[in-house]
Amino acid sequence: MTDGAPPAGGGPARHRVLLVSRDAELDAVLARRRIAAHLGELRPVTVPTADPPTTAPDHGEPVQVALVCDDPAAAGQLLGRGIPVVHLRSGHRPEPSADAAPADAPPPGALCRVHRPGWLPGPRPPAGGARSTGALAPARPARDRTRSGTLLLLSLWGVPADRADAYAAEVLRPLVRAAVRRTGGCEVVADTRTAAVRDALGGLPGVRVGRAADAGVDPDALHARADVFLASPTLGALTLAQARRAPLVFLPPLGAAQEDLAERVARAVPVPVADDPDDPAPWVPPGGPAAGPWHGLDPAADDLRGAQRVARTLRQLCLAPL
């Protein structure tokens, strides 16, 4: 599978960039795709494996650089094979205690980047040279003029199976039923345990469930066509709504990272939480951008060009590798 096509005809070969993401985590998938959209003349190659090769899978041609989203083990393997690596931590992590080891610490030798909108209160990037990217916004900022239905982005990454299944049955099903009743349909995109989510939502009409990492599922495009947006508290969903100045309603947080992010967001912008399926408020979008939560943010705090900045770093490494 590739995020880009080879040059047409007999054109010159382009530099090849290996793209690796932890595909069971929503933020990692969204980050990889948004950065791939800005690679320009570079040729992105994606491999669905935790042990990425040093050559692309189609013609065996070497890659010049790798972007690894949230997979320190893959980053270490690639560095060991002499490939420069940009390691991106795409998802929110609660601030560790003073004596705790940093979560998902990248291997020595990688260029480290951390997805963090500038307006979001803490945590700051860890020591060791990690740099904040700003917000990783989608390449297409506009939404369709004619929108309908609900998009629900669900992240179950890192959640124990029994807790995730109970959440899908007890929290998700009533919300999806309400979404169909009030908006006419609901697209549910989950990062993992999609079979269990389908089982929990079985029998509800007007519902489609997809896996975020699948080639035919594009959460950013689905958001452009949806009227209502419900999402787990994740950075990828947050920056999607911010970039398009679109209404956002958080799902009840699931796990420590989502709880911590929702609490930090609440300090800066008033994002409501869909904790009552019978509450009509989540299903009635505000009348315009000024009615949403984003008008209160200082536009200078974050220019939404995080994906472009990471892509620029990859281009620089291709032209002048370490």
Side-chain angles (χ1 to χ4, degrees), residues 8-290:
R14 292 182 290 171
H15 292 290
R16 297 161 72 84
V17 180
L18 188 65
L19 305 179
V20 182
S21 61
R22 185 160 57 195
D23 285 352
E25 183 175 1
L26 177 65
D27 277 331
V29 174
L30 294 177
R32 169 176 58 80
R33 289 180 173 172
R34 291 173 187 172
I35 293 165
H38 292 283
L39 290 177
E41 73 281 4
L42 303 183
R43 183 176 174 187
V45 179
T46 304
V47 289
T49 173
D51 186 17
T54 59
T55 58
D58 46 5
H59 302 297
E61 301 172 33
V63 296
Q64 281 70 47
V65 66
L67 169 69
V68 179
C69 300
D70 301 279
D71 193 335
Q77 293 165 15
L78 290 164
L79 286 167
R81 296 167 185 171
I83 297 178
V85 171
V86 175
H87 184 274
L88 173 68
R89 194 184 74 191
S90 63
H92 178 76
R93 304 290 184 269
E95 204 158 7
S97 61
D99 56 350
D104 297 330
L111 291 182
C112 304
R113 300 293 182 265
V114 177
H115 182 197
R116 183 182 176 277
W119 56 266
L120 185 67
R124 300 298 165 183
R131 293 172 55 185
S132 293
T133 62
L136 299 172
R140 179 192 170 199
R143 301 174 75 202
D144 294 353
R145 292 186 177 182
T146 302
R147 302 184 296 273
S148 63
T150 297
L151 170 64
L152 190 151
L153 283 186
L154 175 66
S155 179
L156 298 174
W157 163 252
V159 179
D162 55 349
R163 188 176 179 192
D165 292 348
Y167 184 94
E170 299 168 10
V171 177
L172 194 65
R173 184 178 174 89
L175 285 173
V176 170
R177 184 190 294 115
V180 173
R181 184 176 71 251
R182 294 180 180 273
T183 69
C186 186
E187 294 271 2
V188 179
V189 179
D191 51 11
T192 188
R193 299 197 60 77
T194 49
V197 172
R198 286 191 183 97
D199 288 344
L201 302 180
L204 294 180
V207 178
R208 291 197 303 180
V209 178
R211 177 174 173 262
D214 287 350
V217 179
D218 186 344
D220 291 352
L222 290 172
H223 177 259
R225 301 194 294 267
D227 197 34
V228 175
F229 184 30
L230 272 65
S232 298
T234 59
L235 287 176
L238 186 69
T239 56
L240 177 57
Q242 181 197 355
R244 291 175 172 165
R245 300 185 69 81
L248 169 65
V249 179
F250 277 154
L251 298 172
L254 185 59
Q258 293 185 19
E259 291 170 356
D260 188 77
L261 179 58
E263 188 275 330
R264 293 179 188 276
V265 170
R267 300 183 205 170
V269 291
V271 175
V273 178
D275 49 12
D276 181 3
D278 296 324
D279 181 2
W283 318 108
V284 182

